[in-house]
Amino acid sequence: MDMDIAHRDYLLATLHTFLGVATLLLCVLAELFIFAFRCRAALYLVPVAALLLFNRFRRRAAAATEDIGLVDFSCLKPPRRLRLPVAGLLEHLRLIGCFDDGSVEFMTKVIEASGMGNETYFPPSLHYIPPAATHADAIQEARMLFFPTLDDLFAKTGVPPSCVGALVVNCSGFCPAPSLAAIIASRYRMRADVRTFNLSGMGCAAGVVGVDVARRLLLTHAISYAVVVSAEIVTVGWYSGKDQGKLLLNCYFRTGCSAALVTSIRGGAATVPVKYRLASLTRTNQIANDRSYRSGYRDEDDEGITGFTLGQGVGRMVSELLRAHLVTLSLSILPWREKLRYALALLLSSRSRRRRLPGGDNKLARPAAPPLPDFREAADHFCLPSSGRPMIWRLGQGLGLGEREMEAALMTFHRFGNQSAASLWYQLAYLEAKGRVRAGDTVWQLGIGSGLKANSLVWERVAGHEDEGERELGPWKDCIHRYPVKET
C-alpha cells in the first residue's frame, strides 16, 4: 500500500510539472503569435491571465493535500558543565591515550580551521579519561537530550503528550532495544495507539525525512499532532582509532537535540495556532549510484575499531547530487519570473559554449560555469548543513548566497558545532532570536545525508507570531547579543 501511495504521488508530481511546463510554452507561443500578427494590444493580457489562473489553481490544489503546519519547535541548550572549549578539547585529546601524535595534530588543524567556538558541548561520557562509550552511557545521553527538549516543547505549545498521535525519532548511529521512540513514549505515557517510528543511518538529512513521515501519517490517518525528534548520540559516534578518514566526526559533531510539533491544518484538525506552514518538501537520493553509496559509511579500521568514513570524491558526488536536487526543488519554489530568467540564461550559456575559438581553431572554447537560479527569489532565509566554515562557505557560494544568508549556519556551527539533523532547527532558532523571520517570509532548510541524499523543507511564516516584544530566544538565550561574531 505504501508503494502504491508513493507511486501515485510521484505520478501526480510528474503530471503537475508537465502541465506547468506545457502551460508556460503555450503562453509563450501565444504571445509570439499575437506579436507576429500584430493583434490588438488587449490580447497580450490573455496568455498572462491564463498562466496566472493556472498557477493559482495548482497552488490551491496543492494546499488541499499538503496543509501541514508547524505548531512550534524546541532546541536543547545543554548544561554549562558539559561545555568544552577548543583549548580544553585539544588538551583532552592528548591526555585520554586513544590517539597518537599524528592523529592529535590532524584533529587540531581541522578544529582550528573549522570555525568552531569555545562553547560547544560534549556528553558526560566523553569528559572522562579515558572516555566511557558503553551502552548505558549512550542511554543516559539520550535521556539527557530528549526529556528536557520535549518538556519545553509541550510546555510552550500547550499540547499534552496524550494528544500526540505519531512520534518520529531520528538518530543515525544508535539503535537500542527498546527503541529511542519507545523510551520517549514510555517516559510521557503516550496513548496505546501512538504510531512510533525510529529512523537511523540517514545522517544530517534525517530531519526532513522525519517530517515527511509525519506529514504522510497526518494526511492518511485521523491524527491531530505528530512530534519529530532529531538528535545524535555522540557517545557511540566517537572514534578512538588512528584512521584520519574517521577522525573528522570527532572534530565536528557535538551534543544537541531538537523536537518539532507538526499538525494537519486541513479541516480545522488542529486546536492550536501554527507558526509555519509547509510550503514545499523535496527529497532526492543517488543511492543507486555505487560511488554515491560508498561516499560515507560506517565500518571498522585495521584495528577493529568502528568509525564513520568519508569516502574519496565525496565533494564531487555531493555536487552532482545537489544539481539534481536543485532542479527538482526549483520547479516548485522559484517564482515564474525567475524560472523564465534562468531558462533564458541557460539558452545563452549553451550558445556561448558552442562558439569556436578565433583563428579557425576547431576546438571548443573553455566552457563557462553553468548559470544558477537566484534562490534568494524563492526563500527569504536559509538553513544549511553545518559541516564547518569552509564547507558552509563553499555550499553557500555555490547556491549564489551572500554572507548574510549563510550567517545562521556559520553562527550555529560556531556556537553549537554540528548536531546532525538538529542543526537545521538551531539555525531557525537563531533567525527567530534575531527577529528576522516575519509573517509571509519563507525559510529553506537543506539537509545532506549519507546515501547520498539531499532533502529540503520550505516553511512559510504564518501571520500572528511576529510580536517583537515576545521574541523567542530558545537555545540562544544569554548569547544572541554576541552574534554574529567576526572570523578570526
Side-chain angles (χ1 to χ4, degrees):
M1 181 177 178
D2 292 339
M3 289 295 294
D4 292 339
I5 293 174
H7 186 61
R8 181 199 64 191
D9 292 346
Y10 175 78
L11 291 178
L12 287 175
T14 304
L15 177 61
H16 286 164
T17 302
F18 174 77
L19 290 176
V21 174
T23 303
L24 176 62
L25 291 176
L26 287 175
C27 290
V28 171
L29 291 175
E31 292 283 0
L32 293 175
F33 178 84
I34 295 171
F35 177 79
F37 288 92
R38 298 183 179 182
C39 299
R40 297 172 62 179
L43 292 177
Y44 281 98
L45 299 176
V46 175
V48 176
L51 184 62
L52 292 175
L53 287 173
F54 178 77
N55 190 43
R56 182 176 179 83
F57 169 78
R58 285 185 63 198
R59 287 180 178 272
R60 293 187 64 179
T65 58
E66 303 293 336
D67 264 345
I68 300 298
L70 173 65
V71 179
D72 213 331
F73 66 98
S74 294
C75 297
L76 174 71
K77 183 178 181 181
R80 188 169 178 81
R81 61 185 174 82
L82 300 181
R83 185 178 65 91
L84 193 59
V86 171
L89 171 61
L90 298 180
E91 182 181 6
H92 189 68
L93 295 176
R94 295 186 180 93
L95 293 177
I96 58 179
C98 300
F99 310 109
D100 56 18
D101 293 340
S103 298
V104 173
E105 182 180 358
F106 172 77
M107 288 188 285
T108 300
K109 291 180 180 178
V110 172
I111 293 172
E112 291 178 344
S114 68
M116 183 177 292
N118 290 308
E119 295 185 288
T120 61
Y121 304 92
F122 260 8
S125 59
L126 298 185
H127 284 264
Y128 294 118
I129 298 178
T134 67
H135 181 84
D137 291 312
I139 292 291
Q140 179 187 1
E141 180 186 355
R143 293 175 180 272
M144 180 197 73
L145 296 177
F146 295 155
F147 298 159
T149 308
L150 287 167
D151 287 345
D152 181 64
L153 179 68
F154 293 135
K156 69 165 53 173
T157 60
V159 176
S162 59
C163 290
V164 175
L167 172 64
V168 184
V169 180
N170 61 75
C171 176
S172 289
F174 185 50
C175 293
S179 68
L180 296 175
I183 291 174
I184 293 174
S186 174
R187 165 67 170 78
Y188 290 97
R189 297 296 186 264
M190 292 184 174
R191 62 198 202 193
D193 63 344
V194 64
R195 292 165 172 84
T196 59
F197 295 83
N198 213 89
L199 309 180
S200 64
M202 295 190 177
C204 301
V208 181
V209 179
V211 172
D212 192 17
V213 172
R215 174 184 69 92
R216 291 177 180 273
L217 290 169
L218 289 168
L219 293 175
T220 55
H221 297 278
I223 296 174
S224 297
Y225 299 100
V227 171
V228 180
V229 180
S230 300
E232 201 59 66
I233 307 302
V234 183
T235 294
V236 295
W238 178 263
Y239 172 68
S240 57
K242 302 177 179 61
D243 186 344
Q244 293 188 359
K246 293 179 171 60
L247 290 172
L248 290 175
L249 264 68
N250 294 355
C251 303
Y252 292 146
F253 279 78
R254 298 294 182 267
T255 293
C257 178
S258 69
L261 181 67
V262 294
T263 184
S264 172
I265 54 181
R266 179 180 55 185
T271 58
V272 296
V274 298
K275 182 184 285 189
Y276 294 89
R277 181 186 68 85
L278 182 60
S280 176
L281 191 154
T282 304
R283 295 171 58 182
T284 306
N285 72 75
Q286 291 186 341
I287 299 173
N289 185 317
D290 290 341
R291 290 184 301 158
S292 176
Y293 180 77
R294 294 290 295 174
S295 60
Y297 53 92
R298 184 179 295 276
D299 66 348
E300 296 177 341
D301 63 13
D302 296 337
E303 299 177 1
I305 303 174
T306 302
F308 187 86
T309 301
L310 290 177
Q312 294 184 350
V314 63
R316 181 175 66 255
M317 296 308 303
V318 169
S319 298
E320 295 178 7
L321 170 68
L322 280 176
R323 279 196 293 269
H325 180 68
L326 295 178
V327 168
T328 304
L329 179 67
S330 61
L331 291 174
S332 62
I333 68 172
L334 285 176
W336 281 104
R337 63 181 182 276
E338 179 59 23
K339 290 179 183 178
L340 292 173
R341 186 204 67 81
Y342 178 54
L344 180 60
L346 280 178
L347 290 175
L348 295 176
S349 175
S350 63
R351 288 187 61 186
S352 65
R353 289 197 193 106
R354 295 176 182 176
R355 291 178 181 172
R356 297 182 180 275
L357 292 171
D361 195 342
N362 291 329
K363 293 182 179 179
L364 293 177
R366 181 185 298 272
L372 287 173
D374 187 356
F375 287 101
R376 290 173 295 186
E377 294 288 331
D380 301 291
H381 311 282
F382 300 83
C383 303
L384 306 175
S386 293
S387 304
R389 182 171 58 200
M391 291 302 297
I392 294 172
W393 269 102
R394 181 178 176 183
L395 175 60
Q397 291 175 343
L399 294 174
L401 306 181
E403 184 174 359
R404 184 174 176 82
E405 286 80 23
M406 293 184 276
E407 181 182 314
L410 291 167
M411 298 305 106
T412 296
F413 183 82
H414 180 274
R415 177 61 181 84
F416 294 101
N418 187 340
Q419 299 157 312
S420 192
S423 293
L424 298 178
W425 298 101
Y426 280 79
Q427 293 176 44
L428 182 54
Y430 176 87
L431 295 169
E432 288 190 350
K434 282 293 185 181
R436 294 180 184 173
V437 187
R438 307 284 183 170
D441 284 0
T442 51
V443 182
W444 175 15
Q445 294 179 316
L446 171 64
I448 300 175
S450 55
L452 288 166
K453 61 179 70 68
N455 300 330
S456 288
L457 292 170
V458 179
W459 300 99
E460 180 183 355
R461 186 67 177 259
V462 178
H465 286 275
E466 61 275 11
D467 186 2
E468 285 291 318
E470 298 183 3
R471 182 188 303 173
E472 294 205 21
L473 301 180
W476 296 93
K477 184 179 180 180
D478 301 330
C479 68
I480 190 62
H481 61 281
R482 302 200 305 266
Y483 287 89
V485 297
K486 299 297 182 181
E487 295 184 11
T488 57

